[in-house]
Amino acid sequence: MKIVGGKALQGSVEVSGAKNAALPVLVSAILANGPCTFERVPDLMDIRTLAKLLANMGMKVDFDRAANRAVLDPTSIHSQEAPYELVKTMRASVFVLGPLVAKYGQAKVSLPGGCAIGARPINYHLTGLEKLGAEIQLEEGYVLARAKRLVGNRVAFEYPSVGATENILMAAVLAKGESILENCAKEPEIVDLARALRAMGAHIEGEGTETIRVQGRDTLGSCAHQVIGDRIEAGTFLSAGFATGGAVRVNGIDSEFLEPVLVKFEEAGALIERGKEFIALQSRGRPKATDVTTLPHPGFPTDMQAQFMAAMTIADGASVITETVFENRFMHVPELTRLGSDITVRGKSAIVKGKLKLKGAPVMATDLRASASLIIAGLCAEGETTVSRIYHLDRGYERMETKLRALGADVERVSES
Ligand code: EPU
């Protein structure tokens, strides 16, 4: 992505469906007994990978990318396997484990392995399934899960893991009897998944709180569901507007989803207008240095850490940004430094001393949110910045350059060769 920085972003953009809601919601179709229609499915690399994985099991997948609509029919599923080749490219593939063992009594899913932002084990997913009566074996890099029928139980998560909560919730809806899931993740994406499952006939209460109660059913029906807006995409555009000294409105997002970030924008000097279907940000001069610590929802989201840091690189004063969710999520720091920012990492914290100006340079993206942060920094910097390896960006942002151009940014996707 070639960026000529220095322009204040102005205008409004439409937020796409949330990647991290769409992924588990599409997987939940495994549990249905007829075709499920999902609207507002973002056309992203990760969604295409998941579609491939589901199709590989025999699911009939009809993804109309232009309409952002996916129709998934699970009645033709003939395999309960998720091969390494697909799982290694996208960790969210492990979501299929719970639904497969719940519906078919067996699953063979590759262990995902490490990932750039941290080790990311799946032990909470596995102990949760064991609590519901699944027998788990690890063999040649694969998880083999078996159960005649899962049985409801109390599952207390050691940590409110988003993925483990989603996986076990999907397993519990077809288990025999009641499950009480404790210390659950409370992210809006969990609430969206529960809504989709309920539309299929699942009995779920308490999603969005730390305790979720599920009365297992023998079978579920089909469903129609619309995915929620992407709070991280919305927050990314707001950060870009804020960092460039502009005014940006994001439409199609409930401001409540992003409240932990909005209060930080306000603390840093922005003016925020909130709505059920929009958020508007108006910057008022240079951002003020503001500390943030990432935490599970309703804390400040780790998926916004890199983008907020980009805004802090040009803030008035020094801010401390602490990452507690993943152990290796500061890979954007050396790249931001190439643009002239002053950041020192000490363990889990990055100390960012705001500079008056950044200067364009070639930089390299290392993961999805790091790519977004480099683009924001590039938009603030004087002169030209090129961000390479933006395939990371395509995993999670739909038509980002088109949306940025609509806000007046000078950005262009060019071939690396
Ligand atoms: N963890 C374990 N064991 C487990 C599960 C998690 O130790 O069994 C640890 C992880 O290693 C991590 C922490 O718990 O240190 C939190 O992980 P969590 O399970 O909550 O994250 P996730 O489900 O793997 C989802 C999002 C991430 C987002 C995190 C945190 C999806 C597909 N991914 O991952 O999104 O950062 O929750 O909010 O929903 C992104 O979109 O850029 C992204 C990385």
Side-chain angles (χ1 to χ4, degrees):
M1 190 89 79
K2 202 166 88 183
I3 305 159
V4 181
K7 280 193 182 159
L9 300 194
Q10 304 276 355
S12 58
V13 281
E14 195 64 35
V15 172
S16 296
K19 166 180 83 82
N20 290 347
L23 289 168
V25 159
L26 293 181
V27 168
S28 75
I30 293 173
L31 297 160
N33 68 358
C36 298
T37 305
F38 301 109
E39 306 281 350
R40 209 180 180 190
V41 177
D43 180 18
L44 301 170
M45 217 41 230
D46 275 9
I47 298 289
R48 292 186 206 175
T49 305
L50 180 67
K52 226 188 270 175
L53 177 79
L54 295 174
N56 193 56
M57 293 171 186
M59 172 102 78
K60 194 164 167 281
V61 179
D62 180 4
F63 183 21
D64 181 343
R65 285 157 45 186
N68 293 112
R69 177 183 306 116
V71 182
L72 270 54
D73 184 349
T75 51
S76 48
I77 290 181
H78 52 69
S79 151
Q80 288 80 40
E81 188 172 335
Y84 177 62
E85 293 68 44
L86 290 168
V87 178
K88 75 172 181 199
T89 62
M90 190 188 59
R91 300 181 46 86
S93 310
V94 302
F95 289 155
V96 301
L97 190 59
L100 284 176
V101 71
K103 188 164 175 202
Y104 301 97
Q106 58 176 13
K108 181 177 177 189
V109 175
S110 169
L111 280 165
C115 125
I117 61 176
R120 303 181 79 182
I122 56 163
N123 51 322
Y124 307 147
H125 302 235
L126 301 184
T127 47
L129 283 176
E130 278 176 335
K131 280 272 182 203
L132 299 183
E135 235 176 75
I136 306 276
Q137 282 175 301
L138 300 182
E139 241 171 55
E140 295 169 359
Y142 278 80
V143 179
L144 307 177
R146 255 175 232 290
K148 257 210 179 120
R149 166 112 195 246
L150 294 179
V151 181
N153 199 352
R154 180 176 164 269
V155 179
F157 295 108
E158 217 175 295
Y159 179 92
S161 152
V162 174
T165 303
E166 291 166 340
N167 219 337
I168 303 309
L169 175 61
M170 287 193 274
V173 293
L174 281 185
K176 188 173 168 55
E178 185 181 56
S179 294
I180 301 175
L181 316 185
E182 287 170 356
N183 198 23
C184 292
K186 298 180 244 176
E187 271 69 1
E189 291 74 20
I190 308 270
V191 177
D192 201 41
L193 173 63
R195 276 180 42 229
L197 291 169
R198 205 177 285 125
M200 290 174 200
H203 288 181
I204 302 169
E205 271 172 36
E207 71 276 12
T209 74
E210 59 196 39
T211 306
I212 303 180
R213 278 173 189 271
V214 181
Q215 309 295 333
R217 309 290 313 266
D218 291 339
T219 55
L220 296 177
S222 49
C223 80
H225 176 79
Q226 183 174 43
V227 174
I228 52 169
D230 196 315
R231 63 194 165 106
I232 306 302
E233 187 201 13
T236 301
F237 285 114
L238 294 176
S239 281
F242 185 43
T244 57
V248 166
R249 179 182 164 113
V250 285
N251 292 321
I253 183 82
D254 183 342
S255 66
E256 258 176 48
F257 295 170
L258 208 59
E259 191 53 33
V261 178
L262 300 184
V263 292
K264 286 294 170 181
F265 282 137
E266 284 176 327
E267 201 179 318
L271 211 60
I272 303 281
E273 203 188 326
R274 294 161 168 82
K276 271 274 163 223
E277 277 293 323
F278 77 96
I279 306 167
L281 176 147
Q282 165 97 54
S283 56
R284 290 183 295 180
R286 197 176 166 200
K288 285 187 268 184
T290 301
D291 299 343
V292 301
T293 298
T294 66
L295 284 169
H297 193 75
F300 189 94
T302 171
D303 290 346
M304 275 300 298
Q305 179 256 106
Q307 302 90 310
F308 195 82
M309 187 187 290
M312 288 300 103
T313 61
I314 49 118
D316 185 8
S319 50
V320 180
I321 303 212
T322 306
E323 172 61 56
T324 75
V325 179
F326 290 107
E327 64 274 20
N328 190 28
R329 215 175 192 182
F330 281 142
M331 281 171 303
H332 40 286
V333 167
E335 300 299 310
L336 288 172
T337 308
R338 289 179 51 76
L339 299 175
S341 61
D342 180 347
I343 310 171
T344 317
V345 175
R346 293 256 159 74
K348 289 184 166 189
S349 296
I351 298 123
V352 187
K353 290 189 187 142
K355 288 285 200 70
L356 257 179
K357 271 186 192 154
L358 301 183
K359 261 210 123 115
V363 290
M364 200 172 75
T366 49
D367 68 74
L368 170 57
R369 308 303 170 189
S371 327
S373 114
L374 295 175
I375 286 174
I376 295 169
L379 289 167
C380 298
E382 256 179 13
E384 189 177 296
T385 295
T386 49
V387 184
S388 58
R389 301 197 176 169
I390 54 159
Y391 52 85
H392 289 292
L393 197 74
D394 298 328
R395 292 189 57 180
Y397 289 93
E398 195 179 41
R399 297 188 303 273
M400 192 192 224
E401 68 274 25
T402 314
K403 293 187 186 186
L404 282 174
R405 270 202 294 269
L407 296 174
D410 189 344
V411 292
E412 192 191 350
R413 191 181 279 256
V414 292
S415 154
E416 280 194 34
S417 58

